[in-house]
């Protein structure tokens, strides 16, 4: 019989690209397996692979510790008998939380409501209300298996004319957006962030772009994706910019998709606070349709493996929400341990609770480490000739610009690679550090970047390797 | 600004139907909330809602107990300190299993390999090899968030021409298939199961159907979905039928999608054993392309809420597998607790292990209860005039045929409902039992069915209510 080939598959699927787990990540995995099999491997000039390609704080080698409260609640939900078999192990507030969740959910081995456990959605609504000072409604909240699942659902709903419907995405962007748009045959409409102004977003620039589209007689995009705090840029929007974006959405009838998964990754919260688009939309008194996404995978939680998150709909019609419900019901429900994680995210221990002191210590430590590491990395990278890195007030990433000589570009071409992918592959080969080339996120023609996470053990040694590599690479491919 | 409306969304999404969580399930949920708020509610003629619409063994009110081994391993993976804080609680083999998984995975808060943890895929391959007596390969196995996620991926890949590509599905079918086909604009090509022969599948009938399609000059379907054991029918294929199906797939170049999630739900395993399509394909020495699906949600596991499962590719090209990998990588990874569940599914405690006795007792009990309950329900339903129920050797469901009078059909029409949906709504209103009408799964024109699960507390009372209701309904709408 004749075999399936790539060319015989859904052509939309063929167009999907996802650089975060692309060629580099696959090669890094091969190195990891090699090292595992023979620790004293003499072929490789490094003893450890450092996966800086993905914001995965708890992965082996990075080891950001999980928060004890979350894991204790999770363990009690898994094996309820522990409450009686090992009562001394669990603080009172942990037991009370597990009891409350058990009362509502019963076994976490059962499917829940497809939109997520109603009580947990109620807690999410309370969290949002407390964060923003404006009401939120459990019926407008969907728990999801990570933010990605929610983004994918929304994009699939919004693409009403495959091959035609456009969605505005930032460049550089998190490639989930281009990948999902490709999968559903949506058209990415790129707008550029301004590196010279700290990767800022300009509503005016997007407005000009939309005017050009309108003047050309083309269909205007349906939605605008904003990632705040930014991925891969680590930028943070200020309130006037957010106000201007909401105004823009109102003027051009754009659904605002606000990816706010890094909202608690703030390195200088006093001077650079996070404001949700929910708050901005409500206070604008405009009827802008907003879907905002949050996740347990980021922040100081870092619970990527549980697959938990939520999205909130604002100013979205009930019949459209009913359509979302129908779609999520086909997948039955989000993972229960992800939902439990969301409950812990939105209802952390409070002052006075037995778990509070440990929770505070653990979260403070992680926040502090991330902030220190980020500024140390920025400083070290900026000290290198040919590297320029915008400082980051939030998220988990840096996106340094690298100068590549025409010799390096020619060598990349000869190897059939994008210049920054060529650089990143050489970096991996030399140091075991896996980053994602800027071509995976998008950048201006002729510019080159890479994204790296601010998650690493021993930042001094790590950033030292990055610096040394760049210097060696520049020697090998000097400027003309 | 103008609001999103259902008509402005992706039209493919508008066409999706998923009866298992449709109108009836939503109404049942409303009743449940009413009962919760006021237990002595006098409006309703029942005190409990029984959700027989969905194979969800551990849900509240059904309470199939989780397997202790699974939950102990899961709890140790959540909160590793338990090993030292409460060592007396865990059998040695549980600790050894958690240690082994920890050694491989590290924290379950980290994303894993997008295809699933390599060691767990190795264990899945060993399980398949032991089950079938033929080799299996970890690289051809994908761990998924339940079987549904895998089915959705495969269908999305196979629909190469939206609006044109066809996939053969059984009628009655599990509505995941029609829902996913609608979502990706694939064309369902129905073939009918034969109720008079115990809901059997006839390769010859499918062959005739394909010949008709060929003669009409239309494009042949690309794939054939087989659900074995059957959902909603509870039927089980015999080997000659399976051989004939594989031959058919070879002759017509059909990719075989084998939904085998009920493979361990066997009520009479000695006389009615399960044979995997992997085994049949390998032993046919035909190059038939097969993807087979399994899950931790069914069997005696019933761990629906974890969202775990896998699929295995047989005779599928490496480049197509690479494409699958790319697609799953966009979603990052399946939930880790689902993956842990798969490990427990494919590597249960063995004789000699400390956990074995309890595991054996728990699984034997659940198997026995399901078998007894199924035969008791079949017998009671068949004793009712106007109800005819095929006995079931496997899965979790019965799909009784009900005779509805022309008066009942007219009343349904007047209410704007399908006749069997009208019947099922009346059943819910009268008894609190939520089933799914046959129109959600498909049936021959003029026939009516409903699907109910064999999961219920107090089977005597439960089936008594079904019987009484049918009699009352028949009195209300008598034959002319």
């Amino acid at each position: 019989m004749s075999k399936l080939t790539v060319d015989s598959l859904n052509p939309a699927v063929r167009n999907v690209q996802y650089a975060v787990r692309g060629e580099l990540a696959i090669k890094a995995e091969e190195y990891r397996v090699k090292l595992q099999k023979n620790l004293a491997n003499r072929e490789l000039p490094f003893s450890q692979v450092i996966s800086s390609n993905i914001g995965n704080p708890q992965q082996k080698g990075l080891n950001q510790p999980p928060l004890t409260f979350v894991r204790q609640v999770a363990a009690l939900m898994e094996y309820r008998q522990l409450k009686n078999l090992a009562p001394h192990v669990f603080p009172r507030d942990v037991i009370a939380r597990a009891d409350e969740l058990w009362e509502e959910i019963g076994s976490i081995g059962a499917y829940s409501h497809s939109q997520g456990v109603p009580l947990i959605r109620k807690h999410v609504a309370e969290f949002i209300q407390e964060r923003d000072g404006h009401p939120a409604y459990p019926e407008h909240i969907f728990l999801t298996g990570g933010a990605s699942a929610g983004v994918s659902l929304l994009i699939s709903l919004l693409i009403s004319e495959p091959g035609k419907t456009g969605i505005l995405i930032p460049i550089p962007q998190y490639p989930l957006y281009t990948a999902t748009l490709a999968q559903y045959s949506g058209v990415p409409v790129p707008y550029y962030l301004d590196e010279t102004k700290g990767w800022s977003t300009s509503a005016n620039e997007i407005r000009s772009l939309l005017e050009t589209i309108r003047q050309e007689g083309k269909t205007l995009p349906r939605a605008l994706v904003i990632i705040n705090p930014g991925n891969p840029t680590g930028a943070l929007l200020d309130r006037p910019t957010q106000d201007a974006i909401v105004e823009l959405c109102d003027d051009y009838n754009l659904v605002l998709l606000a990816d706010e998964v890094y909202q608690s990754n703030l390195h200088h919260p006093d001077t650079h606070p996070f404001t949700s688009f929910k708050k901005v939309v409500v206070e604008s008194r405009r009827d802008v349709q907003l879907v905002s996404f949050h996740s347990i995978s980021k922040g100081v939680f870092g619970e990527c493996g549980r697959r938990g998150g939520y999205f909130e709909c604002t100013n979205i019609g009930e019949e459209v929400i009913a359509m979302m419900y129908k779609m999520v019901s086909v997948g039955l429900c989000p993972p229960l341990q992800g939902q439990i994680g969301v409950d812990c995210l939105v209802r952390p221990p409070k002052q006075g609770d037995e778990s509070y002191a440990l929770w505070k210590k653990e979260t403070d430590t992680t926040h502090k480490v991330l902030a220190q590491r980020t500024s140390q990395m920025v400083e070290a990278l900026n000290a290198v000739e040919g590297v320029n890195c915008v400082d980051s007030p939030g998220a988990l990433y840096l996106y340094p610009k690298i100068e590549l000589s025409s010799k390096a570009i020619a060598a990349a071409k000869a190897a059939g690679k994008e210049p920054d992918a060529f650089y990143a592959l050489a970096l991996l080969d030399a140091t075991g550090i896996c980053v994602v080339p800027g071509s995976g996120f998008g950048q201006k023609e002729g510019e080159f970047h890479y994204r790296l996470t601010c998650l690493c053990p021993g930042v001094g040694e790590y950033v030292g390797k990055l610096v040394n590599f760049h210097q060696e690479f520049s020697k090998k491919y000097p400027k003309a």
Side-chain angles (χ1 to χ4, degrees), chain A:
Chain A
M1 74 189 289
S2 80
K3 286 287 192 106
L4 289 175
T5 61
V6 169
D7 289 338
S8 70
L9 299 179
N10 180 343
V13 164
R14 295 206 301 274
N15 296 333
V16 169
Q17 299 290 342
Y18 188 66
V20 173
R21 292 216 161 181
E23 180 188 5
L24 272 144
I26 292 170
K27 195 169 185 192
E29 192 55 36
E30 287 165 10
Y31 282 154
R32 198 190 315 275
V33 171
K34 268 195 190 170
L35 289 169
Q36 248 177 12
K37 285 191 183 153
N38 176 12
L39 278 169
N41 200 310
R42 307 224 162 198
E43 288 171 48
L44 299 176
F46 49 85
S47 59
Q48 191 191 359
V49 170
I50 298 178
S51 297
S52 299
N53 56 311
I54 186 164
N56 190 11
Q58 293 188 30
Q59 74 182 299
K60 270 187 169 180
L62 302 186
N63 301 327
Q64 178 178 307
L67 298 171
T68 304
F69 177 77
V70 181
R71 296 308 191 89
Q72 287 178 334
V73 172
L76 275 176
M77 292 302 290
E78 285 292 352
Y79 187 42
R80 184 146 172 78
Q81 291 86 329
L82 281 172
K83 185 184 161 181
N84 303 317
L85 294 173
H88 59 287
V89 171
F90 300 97
R92 281 183 301 268
D93 56 329
V94 166
I95 291 176
R97 174 68 58 91
D99 283 349
E100 186 188 353
L101 291 171
W102 178 268
E103 188 62 36
E104 165 87 2
I105 299 170
S107 169
I108 57 162
Y111 296 123
S112 71
H113 191 293
S114 295
Q115 202 171 336
V117 171
L119 182 70
I120 300 179
R121 283 187 282 127
K122 181 168 165 277
H123 294 151
V124 172
E126 288 161 4
F127 160 81
I128 293 171
Q129 188 151 343
E130 199 177 314
R131 183 193 64 191
D132 298 338
H134 302 291
Y137 307 96
E139 319 81 83
H140 298 165
I141 291 161
F142 285 72
L143 303 189
T144 56
S148 304
V151 168
S152 176
L153 172 67
L154 260 291
I155 289 182
S156 77
L157 284 168
L158 289 171
I159 305 304
S160 52
E161 285 191 271
K164 289 191 183 165
T165 310
I167 293 186
L168 285 153
I169 57 165
I171 295 295
Q173 53 114 20
Y174 176 50
L176 166 67
Y177 293 95
T178 39
T180 311
L181 281 165
Q183 189 184 355
Y184 294 103
S185 302
V187 180
V189 181
Y191 66 89
Y192 286 81
L193 307 180
D194 188 347
E195 186 167 13
T196 64
K197 294 181 185 154
W199 290 119
S200 67
T201 301
S202 160
N204 277 337
E205 206 178 296
I206 302 172
R207 201 174 276 272
S208 311
L209 175 65
L210 291 169
E211 277 312 308
T212 309
I213 292 172
R214 183 177 270 168
Q215 279 155 22
E216 287 170 352
K218 292 185 188 152
T219 314
L220 286 171
R222 287 207 96 173
L224 167 64
V225 172
I226 299 273
I227 311 173
N228 181 45
N231 175 6
T233 62
L236 186 67
L237 297 179
D238 56 24
R239 182 65 188 261
T241 303
Q242 291 182 281
D243 287 330
I245 288 168
V246 167
E247 196 183 327
L248 174 84
C249 289
D250 196 17
D251 292 348
Y252 289 87
N253 201 20
L254 297 166
V255 177
L256 180 53
L257 301 176
D259 178 340
E260 300 179 330
V261 302
Y262 299 98
Q263 62 187 263
S264 63
N265 285 112
L266 303 175
H267 305 323
H268 319 290
D270 296 336
T271 53
H272 292 75
F274 167 80
T275 305
S276 76
F277 267 108
K278 168 73 182 296
K279 185 178 171 75
V280 177
V281 164
V282 172
E283 293 176 1
S284 76
R285 298 171 179 273
R286 292 169 190 267
D287 204 20
V288 167
Q289 297 176 92
L290 165 71
V291 182
S292 47
F293 302 89
H294 197 11
S295 168
I296 61 169
S297 302
K298 312 302 170 187
V300 291
F301 250 67
E303 290 281 350
C304 305
R306 318 182 84 72
R307 312 310 293 120
Y310 73 80
F311 64 84
E312 183 197 17
C313 300
T314 305
N315 295 326
I316 304 278
E318 295 303 328
E319 57 168 355
V320 173
I321 289 178
M323 195 66 56
M324 292 176 186
Y325 172 77
K326 183 182 76 175
M327 292 311 291
V328 296
S329 78
V330 179
L332 295 160
C333 72
L336 266 289
Q337 279 292 9
Q339 299 190 49
I340 303 290
V342 171
D343 195 78
C344 295
L345 176 75
V346 299
R347 272 205 307 167
K350 284 195 295 282
Q351 215 153 2
D353 292 345
E354 197 177 330
S355 294
Y356 181 75
L358 181 59
W359 169 275
K360 182 90 174 66
K361 189 174 148 223
E362 289 174 342
T363 53
D364 282 354
T365 304
T366 300
H367 277 302
K368 203 172 139 191
V369 166
L370 286 172
Q372 279 179 346
R373 212 189 266 152
T374 303
S375 72
Q376 202 176 335
M377 283 165 70
V378 169
E379 201 176 317
L381 287 167
N382 277 330
V384 183
E385 190 175 326
V387 180
N388 185 19
C389 185
V390 169
D391 194 3
S392 159
L396 292 174
Y397 311 101
L398 292 173
Y399 196 60
K401 179 153 82 174
I402 45 175
E403 281 174 31
L404 297 181
S405 67
S406 48
K407 281 195 178 114
I409 294 170
K413 231 174 231 167
K417 307 276 176 206
E418 292 288 333
D420 51 10
F422 180 75
Y423 178 94
L425 279 164
L427 173 67
L428 175 63
D429 290 342
T431 64
I433 298 174
C434 181
V435 299
V436 188
S439 44
F441 302 97
Q443 53 201 349
K444 286 189 181 155
E445 184 70 32
E447 291 192 348
F448 306 106
H449 298 81
Y450 62 87
R451 184 189 81 168
L452 81 168
T453 68
C454 304
L455 305 159
C456 57
V459 58
E461 191 191 335
Y462 169 76
V463 78
K465 282 182 182 176
L466 292 172
V467 166
N468 285 343
F469 169 78
H470 188 82
Q471 286 162 344
E472 293 298 318
F473 188 88
S474 302
K475 263 186 223 158
K476 191 166 172 191
Y477 303 103
K479 287 188 199 170

